[in-house]
Amino acid sequence: MKTSRWWQQCSVISFLLAVWLPAWIMAQTTPPTQGTTSPKPQNDRLQFRLVGYPRKHNEGRIEVFYKGEWGTICDDDFSLSNANVLCRQLGFISATGWTHSAKYGKGLGKIWLDNVQCNGGEKSIELCKSRGWGNSDCTHDEDAGVVCKDERLPGFVDSNIIDVQMDENKVEKVRLRPVVPTKKMPVTEGVVEIKYRNGWVQICDVGWTSKNTRVICGMLGFPDEKKVNKNFYKLNTERQKNQYHLHSVACVGTEVHLAACPLEFNKGNATGSCKGGMPVVVSCVPGPQYVHNNGLKKKLKTTSTVRLKGGAKLGEGRVEVLRNNEWGTVCDDRWTLLSASVVCRELGFGSAKEALTGARMGQGMGPIHMNEVLCLGTEKSMWNCGFKNITSEDCQHVEDAAVRCNTPYMALENSIRLTGGRTRYEGRVEVLSTEANGTRIWGLICGGAWSTKEAMVACRQLGLGYANHGLQETWYWDSSNVTEMVMSGVKCTGNEMSLSHCQHHRTVSCQKTAAKFSAGVICSETASDLVLNAPLVQQSVYIEDRPLHMLYCAAEENCLSKSAASANWPYGHRRLLRFSSQIHNIGRADFRPKAGRHSWVWHACHGHYHSMDIFTHYDLLSSNGTKVAEGHKASFCLEDTECHEGISKRYECANFGEQGITVGCWDLYRHDIDCQWIDITDIKPGNYILQIVINPNFEVAESDFTNNAMKCNCKYDGHRIWLHNCHMGDAFSEEAERRFEKYPGQFNNQIS
């Protein structure tokens, strides 16, 4: 009996071993299957970097540092959601794209991750599904890359290698919740709330100081703060259930983000209490750009000696300062967030999100006024900070400093959208309008007279950068079934924050009402920026009496004044004011003709193609602003004549080649080529203003049109001509500009 029981027990044990042991062995030897997360030791912190060539600072092959070794990620199952998670870990706000097949070159060593599948909201790539660390069937021919949106998350330094430590207590988002509901934007006063997990929690105000308030207002895009009536809020907040997650905030007032202040978080999962206190309430003072009261707006607005140039959004751009009545740039040596924040607050924005170096907002022209700017963060103006005067040996324009400022949330992007495009950067423009009965539906914009300037505002409102094209007809797929025109006659200056701020018809009036005649845009993160070399014009000017028999081709291209038509051809001559034009592209994208090669016009007389009908206007103006003589230049050859060191030429007109001007290059129209002149045959001796305007019809989008005009004082005695004070339209102070000319100054490329 005992033997029988013993045998039965042995049989059970043998059966269990036979089933469990192979399964245990398989578990130890079989790699994790796709669909599991990628566990790693808690003390093994990940690092990320972007590498490869050719690339910009915000793109590249993604590499991960794990267990003491750098490795890549395979492109199998890769998606934009994966790229979003990785870009955020690299310190960027989001991804705009991703690449496969080792676009940025093949990596070396390990392929750490394969078949990665994120939903896009994960805090780290390690929380996404994958085959597990080091388990891959890929080669380095399949290395993945990412393209991140060129905008930093708050609190990240501008470094290529990011050391990541997951911390659920890290403060990223802060908002003001108004107690009384309001439709007015921006919200300037309310209860301070921070994003925690999937909700919003409050801060205990015990020990709260005005320095803490200054940091909060700066984060939210406001330059100043003011006292708040706490009694008004106390009754209201006592009625509500508050969740206090943050206590004992101790900012010094110069921090650009709450996360940089010493903070004490509530321990555990308890909501915590605020003994003797209430939720923090602050009141911020908006800058002049965001004030609704016109009287107060004029009172707040002052003539500033600092400005931002070349940015796509309000509150970002290359920093320029006014010195001796001339605008110049700032060198990026020792450029910090503290100095950048002083600039931002001086201009009516909040603290700085980013202090950008290396001409990230394009290169300036003219003088560099400051170097090694050292601000404490409390100064009212950058001129109150320490800085060094510089020489040309110290800095070049490739080192121009720039900023991105915190700006108030206006919710403008909620009333506009693009539909039918191949990417999120293009499509038919649809705007939200309010009906008489109060309902809101979406509608179209009439495409008649829609131009680059209106497209610039639309792209800015959408948060999609610069306008590449403004489309008067759209052939995009109708994905929204919206057919009604709700806006027409839109006319913008190009500087507005929203299309609703532009002029437009009170009642919709559109000649072509079919949906295909609605307005569309193609937006871009970067844009070109053309600037004329003003000193070269002044140095190269002269007068030539040119025989008529040498001007047949020029006459055919309308390069002579009207009186030439009645001249005794081929006898006689025309008096020409000649000069050289050197046109630089100081932007962040190549300048390309709007029309493709298939639509360029061949001019047999000169033997070349015109890619743009009018590329430049040349005008001679009287002292009262009247145009007395004019010329124009078609782009018979847009090409890279020369480039800065380290930049290769891309465009050459020979053999029907591609036309354009590369970033960092310039196109030279020499004084001795046809049409590089103004016909002054009929002009009497006197004092005039020479004005040259590039891209006068806004045919090609640029990041800045205010620097497209150049002006010179001109003296003509009937035999000789002199130019002096040649400068770009936005290079002088307003006072100096008034002295330059007696009639209202030309500050953009509109011709009076």
Side-chain angles (χ1 to χ4, degrees), residues 593-737:
K594 185 177 181 180
R597 282 196 291 184
H598 63 281
S599 59
W600 294 353
V601 179
W602 172 255
H603 281 252
C605 196
H606 277 130
H608 55 235
Y609 284 93
H610 285 189
S611 56
M612 293 173 67
D613 288 337
I614 303 235
F615 177 57
T616 316
H617 273 159
Y618 306 137
D619 297 293
L620 202 62
L621 310 174
S622 67
S623 57
N624 66 4
T626 305
K627 194 185 303 182
V628 295
E630 63 181 304
H632 76 273
K633 186 73 172 172
S635 61
F636 29 98
C637 178
L638 279 176
E639 67 177 1
D640 297 326
T641 307
E642 294 291 340
C643 300
H644 288 299
E645 186 178 351
I647 299 175
S648 301
K649 299 179 184 179
R650 293 184 184 176
Y651 304 105
E652 188 176 2
C653 298
N655 302 316
F656 196 39
E658 289 290 348
Q659 292 194 23
I661 307 176
T662 303
V663 175
C665 300
W666 55 90
D667 187 8
L668 176 64
Y669 285 90
R670 284 174 50 90
H671 56 82
D672 54 359
I673 66 173
D674 256 10
C675 298
Q676 188 60 35
W677 62 58
I678 297 178
D679 184 349
I680 61 169
T681 306
D682 308 318
I683 301 303
K684 296 177 181 179
N687 294 321
Y688 300 94
I689 289 175
L690 170 66
Q691 178 175 274
I692 300 176
V693 185
I694 312 163
N695 191 18
N697 299 332
F698 306 97
E699 190 173 325
V700 177
E702 298 184 47
S703 61
D704 185 5
F705 285 110
T706 63
N707 56 13
N708 283 29
M710 188 224 71
K711 292 177 288 185
C712 306
N713 286 125
C714 176
K715 184 177 181 180
Y716 175 48
D717 68 358
H719 306 284
R720 293 170 299 174
I721 201 154
W722 295 267
L723 296 183
H724 56 281
N725 290 332
C726 290
H727 65 283
M728 290 184 298
D730 66 342
F732 286 179
S733 68
E734 291 183 25
E735 180 187 348
E737 197 67 36

Side-chain angles (χ1 to χ4, degrees), residues 295-313:
L296 183 59
K297 183 178 288 191
K298 289 179 181 177
K299 186 179 177 181
L300 289 172
K301 200 164 187 177
T302 57
T303 303
S304 178
T305 56
V306 181
R307 69 183 183 186
L308 301 181
K309 299 286 284 183
K313 302 175 185 174

